[in-house]
Amino acid sequence: MTNYVIVPMALLDVGTYELAVYCSLLSYAHGSPPQATPSHRQLCTRTRISPSRVKVALARLRDTGWITWEQQTTRGGGAAAHKYTLHGSPQVQP
């Protein structure tokens, strides 16, 4: 986890909750491209935003191309935390 994050100015146009969630994801991220696997609970705790609002913000970030995600599964085949990939600019969705 980092103590600060740097975000593109264009992200300010997406929304306040989305900015908070993106910054939170970025604080958990590593690698290139940056990827993170925080739970929704961790995102809620870090941003102090309700679970429903975090889900809406994640969907909006995905729909505007700032993030993509893959559903992770446990060894037993159950659902696990998503793996989020963060983009430094909006990605065009096919």
Side-chain angles (χ1 to χ4, degrees):
M1 182 179 83
T2 60
N3 292 325
Y4 65 91
V5 296
I6 299 172
V7 297
M9 290 296 291
L11 192 60
L12 297 174
D13 296 331
V14 178
T16 304
Y17 295 114
E18 291 76 14
L19 176 62
V21 170
Y22 187 91
C23 288
S24 181
L25 285 169
L26 199 52
S27 74
Y28 287 106
H30 53 30
S32 181
Q35 294 183 322
T37 56
S39 67
H40 284 181
R41 180 176 293 192
Q42 288 173 304
L43 292 173
C44 291
T45 300
R46 168 110 0 122
T47 60
R48 295 184 174 94
I49 298 173
S50 72
S52 61
R53 179 55 79 174
V54 164
K55 289 178 185 178
V56 169
L58 286 167
R60 185 148 186 237
L61 286 167
R62 180 199 56 210
D63 293 347
T64 55
W66 286 98
I67 65 171
T68 52
W69 70 68
E70 300 171 32
Q71 176 66 54
Q72 302 294 294
T73 56
T74 63
R75 289 183 187 186
H82 290 86
K83 181 196 294 184
Y84 299 96
T85 301
L86 290 82
H87 307 292
S89 61
Q91 303 297 301
V92 176
Q93 300 297 318

